[in-house]
Amino acid sequence: MSALHPIIAITGSSGAGTTSVTRTFENIFRREGVAAAIVEGDSFHRYDREAMKAAMAEAEQNHRPHFSHFGDDANLFAELQELFRSYAETGSGRSRKYLHNAEEAAPWRQPPGTFTAWAPLPPSSLLFYEGLHGGVTTGTVDVARFTDLLIGVVPVINLEWIQKIHRDRSTRGYSTEAVTDVILRRMHEYVEYICPQFTRTHINFQRVPVVDTSDPFIARTIPTADESLVVIRFANPRGIDFPYLLSMLHDSFMSRANTLVVPGGKMELAMQLIFTPMILRLVAQQKNLLAA
């Protein structure tokens, strides 16, 4: 953690909705004039698209059915920790970009599914990470300890699967069966690497549908925001103005002393109300230290 060079990390599984949360933060950064260096977790995968296919085939041949993007074998955890450590100490570090599709790849004149070269981060007031492993801890690395604000995005599991199935079918052309195979292959490392992060987060956002999602593999549509509730759990509720949040978020309520429940359609507003003052405090603290 670093008051001089703060780090905010959003962590969550594939299909959890972390990208939507990132857009909310980008709006806050833009509105408040905060220069943020934004890093995507995909940048720290070990393999590009073609190399990952080869690594998966090799894992299958060697009877390692759980090899996936969730685990340490397919990621550069040490390099991610080094980025966080370097930024916390110096306000700088190196990252790269994973080019998901042809539109992202065109300006770089590279094929989709490849990485750009490693490069220094641009000058910034804070580092913002969004991806699978913002709070990961193993026997050799501890990324979570460098974060000043760690946020988990974790829908109930059936909803997470529904969102992933629909996303991968519509944007990546996968069949339901292919996505199901990915979900099953990742389950072991989901439990080992993804779930434990949510015990280290400062705030968790969990979307809970209020419609039947009993069989996520046959769901025709993703439950809408209005068909959901969002459970917001604060690890340390001290200093959180719950009466203000309840007054601003119509139909919200407290389910526990540290847990706020809001209608799904109010999730972005809740994030704006919760995170804007937190970001401003981090930036103000930074400016005071620099002035001193």
Side-chain angles (χ1 to χ4, degrees):
M1 298 177 67
S2 169
L4 192 56
H5 307 294
I7 297 173
I8 299 174
I10 309 291
T11 192
S13 176
S14 175
T18 56
T19 302
S20 298
V21 177
T22 296
R23 285 196 292 268
T24 299
F25 271 87
E26 288 174 336
N27 290 335
I28 297 173
F29 295 148
R30 184 166 49 251
R31 186 185 66 233
E32 303 298 337
V34 176
I38 297 177
V39 172
E40 297 178 350
D42 290 355
S43 305
F44 289 86
H45 288 332
R46 187 177 301 275
Y47 304 107
D48 65 19
R49 187 171 295 162
E50 293 305 315
M52 184 62 179
K53 290 178 181 178
M56 287 176 60
E58 181 180 353
E60 290 282 349
Q61 292 176 357
N62 292 329
H63 307 290
R64 295 167 54 213
H66 304 304
F67 176 75
S68 77
H69 276 126
F70 288 172
D72 55 354
D73 289 342
N75 289 281
L76 302 174
F77 287 165
E79 285 81 352
L80 178 60
Q81 177 180 257
E82 174 58 22
L83 169 64
F84 279 28
R85 184 206 62 77
S86 174
Y87 194 89
E89 293 180 1
T90 69
S92 63
R94 289 167 56 85
S95 185
R96 60 183 178 177
K97 185 175 177 61
Y98 179 73
L99 305 173
H100 295 86
N101 51 47
E103 183 179 0
E104 288 185 6
W108 299 92
R109 298 181 180 179
Q110 293 180 208
T114 61
F115 298 104
T116 64
W118 293 96
L121 295 176
S124 58
S125 298
L126 59 83
L127 174 65
F128 180 85
Y129 167 95
E130 177 259 316
L132 295 172
H133 300 112
V136 75
T137 297
T138 70
T140 56
V141 302
D142 185 356
V143 173
R145 69 190 176 99
F146 294 103
T147 59
D148 298 88
L149 179 58
L150 179 59
I151 301 151
V153 182
V154 50
V156 292
I157 193 70
N158 280 18
L159 177 58
E160 185 172 303
W161 290 345
I162 290 171
Q163 292 181 160
K164 177 170 178 55
I165 290 167
H166 280 258
R167 185 198 66 181
D168 286 3
R169 286 193 312 190
S170 62
T171 65
R172 300 178 181 177
Y174 296 168
S175 67
T176 300
E177 292 73 20
V179 185
T180 303
D181 287 343
V182 171
I183 290 171
L184 292 173
R185 185 176 65 249
R186 290 177 169 181
M187 188 50 57
H188 176 81
E189 293 189 331
Y190 181 93
V191 173
E192 184 174 356
Y193 293 97
I194 304 299
C195 288
Q197 295 184 84
F198 302 120
T199 64
R200 307 177 191 117
T201 48
H202 300 107
I203 306 175
N204 277 342
F205 284 76
Q206 184 171 48
R207 190 154 77 92
V208 181
V210 292
V211 295
D212 183 17
T213 59
S214 302
D215 187 346
F217 303 103
I218 64 169
R220 295 184 178 181
T221 59
I222 299 174
T224 66
D226 291 335
E227 295 171 331
S228 310
L229 296 174
V230 178
V231 179
I232 307 171
R233 190 270 298 172
F234 298 82
N236 181 5
R238 182 176 296 177
I240 303 299
D241 191 346
F242 288 112
Y244 170 72
L245 294 173
L246 290 168
S247 69
M248 294 295 291
L249 299 164
H250 185 60
D251 291 332
S252 62
F253 61 92
M254 304 289 296
S255 62
R256 289 186 175 177
N258 67 340
T259 304
L260 176 68
V261 182
V262 305
K266 298 287 193 347
M267 179 172 170
E268 181 174 353
L269 176 58
M271 289 184 171
Q272 294 276 354
L273 295 172
I274 292 167
F275 293 128
T276 298
M278 290 183 175
I279 292 169
L280 293 179
R281 280 197 296 271
L282 287 174
V283 173
Q285 187 177 31
Q286 178 189 59
K287 289 181 178 178
N288 290 337
L289 287 171
L290 289 172

